[in-house]
Amino acid sequence: MVLGVALVVGVVVPLGLAVLTRSIAIPHNDAWSHAIIGRTFAETGQIVLVGWNRSSLVGQIVALGPLAGSVVAEQVWVAIMAAVGLIATQRFVTARGGDDAGAFAALAVAAVPEFGLLGTSYMADMPAFVAVILAATVADTALASSRQWVLSVALAVGLWGVTIREQALIAPVAIGLAAVWIMRGRSRVLALVQSIAFGVAFIVFELWRRSLPFGDPPSFQPSVGHLIAVSVAGAFTLGLIASPLILGTRVSLNWRHWATWVFVPASVAVSAIWVVVRWPNTLMGNYMGVGGAYAAASVGTRKVLPDGVWAATMALAVLSAGMVCAILLRALSHLWQNRRRQSNKVLRDPLPTLMLSMLLIGTLIQAAMGQEIFSRYFLPVVPLAAALLMPFWRTIPRIAYAAVTINVGLGLLLTSDALSYDAARWQAAEQLVAQGVPPTAINAGLEWIGTHAELPADRRGLETHPNSALPRILNMFPESTECYVISGDPTLQLPQVAGLEYRRWGVSGRAQVYVYAQRPCR
């Protein structure tokens, strides 16, 4: 029953909205580049990069074969992957906490506000997440039975995930380490050999991928300030997306101990002060914000979420982030008092601990190197945290369901708005094209410009023209011009020549995109 609700909330409803708004047939956010690479692969059988492909991507493109040329097929496939990810989450957590825990963990994952959007676009995040949790689920069987062919499957799925997004490396590395630790005798030797073979395959793949022209290698600009900013924003973001698990775990706190009454209020108070100071930009950007999902990909600014919704979201993030400190304190105390028994438990089942630790530490290292970190990278945290926390639950408390409800509400608003807005911008741009305007003369946002660009993107345009009057996106596409601008922002200082009304939330509400003329073109 609960798993069915998770599938409806996380897959069926977002996919239905994508079909209803007709955004199922257009790329979203960075997925324009993925779609172009997929189309070229479907037509020629070759991987040709387009300068906007920081992730590996290859695995999700090759998996579709000739269907990679269809945006609809790509996004339906991702929706199917999202369903697989929820089922794999349920199995992974059930093995540790029982049926109720597994089903609730799947619901908590489906409730992550970004899940619906990631599950209806050809972004790399959802397939990579599915590869990580599916590899871990298969590895459970391999570790319990010492069957080498099952371990091979787990490592192969993990390697496939790495060919989609490098952060998926946590799965095969953790699986290999766990197998070598747990297995004995000949099985341990074979597990070590398989792990080394995986390492060789990964190195060969990376060398090949980095040899392709128009790659998009990450930049390295070490910054302590960036690390601190990411750490603080990440704490609140993780507090929000994992709030059903964090608040549900509050039952394990010793509320008779003075330390709990000191640390919980203090942590919540400090969190609340930080939110007030940083309002409204408290969370990591990209998919969760007052201005809607991936607002930087379109022109202008909009206020999407009502104040009450954002206030409830921040209250949940503050309470959850504050509770983390108390839970960690209690956990450390409990581990110390029962260090021998708990140590044995971790050593018997090291997989979730290894994967979660590697994910968080790896993310901090990326941040220290100056790389951009987005909240969608944290999707695997929820099932891994559930596998560690929920075995201690006796029942699923109501506050956990309340947190799920808030996250689901936020996710539905963000998903329906983004899908509707993307489709409306695209439709308005197509109307201009039908009137004879070249697609490369229209600025309808990153997806439109990238899709219709004649040359690969040049990220150096973002740095080499810092004072340019052109929008930052256009700097990467020198052959594109801006004669018309399409935006949901009614305050742009340009003459408006047309408009298009659409349903704000997919099925209800009214909103408008505006068509502005840029004279002269630039």
Side-chain angles (χ1 to χ4, degrees):
M1 174 64 179
V2 177
L3 178 60
V5 173
L7 290 169
V8 169
V9 168
V11 180
V12 176
V13 171
L15 185 59
L17 285 169
V19 173
L20 182 66
T21 59
R22 293 185 291 180
S23 65
I24 191 69
I26 62 174
H28 304 277
N29 200 13
D30 297 337
W32 65 268
S33 65
H34 311 9
I36 292 176
I37 298 170
R39 184 177 65 213
T40 303
F41 177 77
E43 294 172 352
T44 67
Q46 297 180 335
I47 298 294
V48 180
L49 304 183
V50 296
W52 189 270
N53 27 254
R54 189 148 290 178
S55 301
S56 299
L57 300 181
V58 176
Q60 74 184 66
I61 291 167
V62 173
L64 278 170
L67 293 179
S70 166
V71 173
V72 174
E74 290 170 348
Q75 298 185 151
V76 169
W77 176 76
V78 172
I80 295 172
M81 287 292 99
V84 172
L86 294 178
I87 295 170
T89 294
Q90 185 262 341
R91 295 197 53 149
F92 186 67
V93 178
T94 293
R96 292 159 176 84
D99 292 337
D100 290 345
F104 182 79
L107 180 60
V109 171
V112 173
E114 301 148 308
F115 194 88
L117 280 174
L118 293 175
T120 50
S121 69
Y122 200 45
M123 295 286 286
D125 305 272
M126 185 60 71
F129 160 74
V130 173
V132 166
I133 195 64
L134 186 59
T137 303
V138 175
D140 276 348
T141 302
L143 297 176
S145 64
S146 293
R147 283 183 283 182
Q148 293 300 310
W149 72 269
V150 181
L151 178 61
S152 298
V153 172
L155 289 172
V157 174
L159 180 60
W160 173 62
V162 176
T163 65
I164 298 173
R165 179 181 281 284
E166 289 87 340
Q167 287 89 339
L169 190 63
I170 64 170
V173 171
I175 290 169
L177 291 173
V180 172
W181 176 261
I182 291 174
M183 294 181 180
R184 294 290 182 266
R186 182 171 176 270
S187 294
R188 172 178 286 179
V189 175
L190 292 174
L192 178 60
V193 170
Q194 289 204 61
S195 299
I196 293 174
F198 156 76
V200 172
F202 167 68
I203 292 172
V204 170
F205 169 78
E206 273 297 296
L207 291 175
W208 168 77
R209 187 181 73 87
R210 292 182 183 276
S211 71
L212 297 176
F214 305 115
D216 186 17
S219 59
F220 294 98
Q221 299 175 332
S223 169
V224 175
H226 183 64
L227 173 61
I228 294 173
V230 167
S231 299
V232 175
F236 285 104
T237 303
L238 286 173
L240 177 65
I241 67 175
S243 56
L245 304 172
I246 294 169
L247 298 182
T249 305
R250 69 86 170 83
V251 297
S252 67
L253 295 175
N254 182 4
W255 290 97
R256 296 181 181 180
H257 196 281
W258 66 270
T260 301
W261 288 101
V262 171
F263 277 96
V264 171
S267 300
V268 171
V270 170
S271 300
I273 292 171
W274 179 264
V275 167
V276 171
V277 171
R278 294 283 298 173
W279 184 273
N281 303 314
T282 307
L283 304 179
M284 285 182 160
N286 209 209
Y287 272 66
M288 291 189 291
V290 174
Y294 42 88
S298 58
V299 182
T301 59
R302 301 183 303 140
K303 184 177 180 181
V304 172
L305 297 177
D307 291 336
V309 172
W310 194 242
T313 300
M314 289 300 97
L316 180 60
V318 164
L319 180 60
S320 183
M323 290 291 291
V324 167
C325 297
I327 291 172
L328 287 176
L329 178 69
R330 172 62 176 163
L332 291 173
S333 174
H334 182 75
L335 286 173
W336 178 253
Q337 294 170 7
N338 304 274
R339 52 190 177 277
R340 181 170 298 178
R341 182 162 56 89
Q342 293 299 324
S343 176
N344 290 336
K345 183 176 181 179
V346 171
L347 293 177
R348 287 195 304 269
D349 182 24
L351 197 55
T353 303
L354 279 172
M355 292 176 68
L356 183 58
S357 300
M358 290 168 59
L359 175 60
L360 296 179
I361 293 172
T363 301
L364 290 176
I365 292 174
Q366 283 185 281
M369 291 296 100
Q371 296 182 35
E372 287 186 280
I373 306 296
F374 299 119
S375 55
R376 48 194 164 89
Y377 300 172
F378 290 140
L379 198 54
V381 167
V382 181
L384 296 175
L388 292 171
L389 295 174
M390 294 195 72
F392 296 100
W393 293 17
R394 293 183 186 139
T395 59
I396 300 175
R398 292 179 181 176
I399 193 171
Y401 283 109
V404 163
T405 302
I406 293 176
N407 277 346
V408 168
L410 176 62
L412 286 176
L413 289 176
L414 290 172
T415 300
S416 57
D417 169 77
L419 294 177
S420 300
Y421 183 51
D422 291 355
R425 285 188 290 124
W426 201 272
Q427 183 180 350
E430 286 182 331
Q431 290 178 356
L432 287 177
V433 172
Q435 296 170 16
V437 179
T440 53
I442 302 170
N443 182 357
L446 173 62
E447 307 96 320
W448 178 272
I449 296 173
T451 297
H452 296 91
E454 298 172 356
L455 297 172
D458 183 2
R459 272 188 185 266
R460 290 175 299 176
L462 296 178
E463 289 81 28
T464 55
H465 305 287
N467 299 318
S468 171
L470 285 173
R472 295 176 75 247
I473 292 173
L474 279 178
N475 279 331
M476 297 187 299
F477 303 96
E479 82 284 3
S480 296
T481 58
E482 185 181 81
C483 298
Y484 292 90
V485 177
I486 298 175
S487 171
D489 186 347
T491 65
L492 296 187
Q493 300 301 307
L494 293 170
Q496 181 185 338
V497 295
L500 176 70
E501 283 196 354
Y502 67 98
R503 291 181 177 178
R504 176 72 172 276
W505 311 112
V507 294
S508 64
R510 297 179 64 183
Q512 185 170 348
V513 292
Y514 305 90
V515 179
Y516 298 96
Q518 180 72 259
R519 298 292 184 270
C521 299
R522 60 176 185 172

